Amino acid sequence: MPSSDDQTYRQKLRPTGHKKLLALDGGGIRGVITLEVLDRIERIAREKLGRSDAVLADYFDYVGGTSTGAIIATCLSIGMTVDHVRQFYLASGPDMFSRAGVLRRFHYKFEQDRLAAQLQHVLGATTTLGSDRLRTLLMMVMRNATTDSPWPLSNNPGARYNDPARTNCNLNLPLWQLVRASTAAPTFFPPELVQVGAESFLFVDGGVTMYNNPSFQLFLMATSDPYNLKWPTGEDTLLLVSVGTGTSPHANANLQPGDMNLLYNAGSIPSALMFAAVNEQDFLCRIFGSTKAGCELDREVGDMRGQGIRNVSKLFTYMRYNAELTQKGLSDLGLKNIRPDHVQSLDSVDHIAEMQEVGRAIAETEVQKEQFAGF
């Protein structure tokens, strides 16, 4: 595999050989959990490629992410090492998620300009979605609030709206702005206004769509007819690795009907829908993929290893790395000393070190070299 920095995503378009996909969940500053898992995967990739300087852009062909996952996916796609991305989060996380002024806090929780400035600094102010700086195919999910629809965008040159002949070609859009749009969580950040040809659209965080976990959507965009990549399927041909930022279901055995008032529903329904969507994407991948790694989904379906639909062949090999950030989930990882409320929040910048502990524990207990055999 080429190792020079001039390798671009265009060299990975052909539907030949083994193809490897990497999908990264949203989750705010909890992206540092993802990074510790990715550090372990990068070490495995270096060993498999026989190069100590290999990066995940050398190993994976298509990387996708939502919200904080879009930041990480984009950084990886331009060839950054996991440690470089980690240092970016450690140095810039408090700025990217800094509290807004008191007056503006009525509208948005974090300052807009700091995140935009950090993304321009790392990705380049003039780098576009179609730039040859990208060394893998890249997908990111956002929500178009103007049209009330999810927008999973990619740099796949075969996609309908990536035709250079179009005046609204998505490949010409600023990369940093698209990443910023994917991270514009309502009430946390202002929406991002993006000019697409002659039209302007307001975009918000892709985490408020069905694709906070973008794994099955990434699979579809790599293989199905409408997206014009049409990579071959098969558990010996296609690998899909999905990494989460932790889940935090809020079970309440003492909940009473009278507690479920307007304020309760306003605060709980969005997170409940996002949690359900994350699980649904994971469940679909386990049904149609040959699952090699993944915690129990629930007590009814288990972890789905060796299961699926009778007489339906598996379409890819699948690994899911994630953890439940409850007291039980942390205890199962050997982290009884970590308080759940320290690692559950999307903006808990004061507890990054504890989140890193969670990520390292997932990596040590779940990520095994043998799972990548054949790829």
Side-chain angles (χ1 to χ4, degrees), residues 213 215-216 276-289 291 297-298 300-304 308 314 316 318 320:
N213 171 353
S215 53
F216 197 70
V278 165
N279 278 354
E280 180 70 5
Q281 288 276 310
D282 190 9
F283 185 53
L284 286 170
C285 287
R286 298 191 197 213
I287 286 287
F288 293 103
T291 304
L297 278 172
D298 60 44
E300 181 170 15
V301 303
D303 62 17
M304 292 296 298
K314 295 295 187 178
F316 51 91
Y318 177 64
R320 171 68 171 174

Side-chain angles (χ1 to χ4, degrees), residues 106-283:
F106 285 103
H107 300 284
Y108 308 113
K109 197 170 183 180
F110 300 120
E111 287 285 1
Q112 173 187 19
D113 292 343
R114 292 188 182 186
L115 176 57
Q118 293 291 346
L119 292 174
Q120 290 182 57
H121 175 71
V122 171
L123 303 177
T126 61
T127 303
T128 63
L129 178 62
S131 170
D132 281 345
R133 282 193 66 196
L134 293 167
R135 296 168 58 181
T136 72
L137 282 160
L138 173 67
M139 182 270 273
M140 63 187 78
V141 182
M142 57 206 70
R143 176 177 175 268
N144 188 329
T146 305
T147 63
D148 192 23
S149 58
W151 272 41
L153 297 184
S154 80
N155 60 342
N156 168 20
R160 179 176 182 180
Y161 288 95
N162 288 351
D163 183 350
R166 301 182 67 99
T167 58
N168 60 347
C169 175
N170 290 332
L171 295 181
N172 297 328
L173 298 175
L175 185 60
W176 73 265
Q177 193 174 31
L178 296 177
V179 177
R180 163 68 181 79
S182 183
T183 64
T187 75
F188 283 76
F189 294 109
E192 184 72 14
L193 182 66
V194 180
Q195 189 73 28
V196 184
E199 297 181 274
S200 296
F201 298 110
L202 280 174
F203 288 97
V204 296
D205 195 323
V208 293
T209 70
M210 284 294 293
Y211 310 113
N212 191 52
N213 171 353
S215 53
F216 197 70
Q217 178 65 23
L218 182 63
F219 161 72
L220 293 175
M221 292 178 73
T223 60
S224 62
D225 287 345
Y227 298 102
N228 292 318
L229 261 184
K230 303 179 184 178
W231 284 352
T233 61
E235 61 180 300
D236 297 325
T237 302
L238 189 66
L239 172 68
L240 173 56
V241 179
S242 174
V243 185
T245 60
T247 60
S248 52
H250 296 290
N252 184 356
N254 299 316
L255 185 66
Q256 299 296 316
D259 297 332
M260 300 184 68
N261 51 37
L262 181 62
L263 288 177
Y264 172 88
N265 287 321
S268 63
I269 288 178
S271 61
L273 292 175
M274 288 175 67
F275 179 67
V278 165
N279 278 354
E280 180 70 5
Q281 288 276 310
D282 190 9
F283 185 53

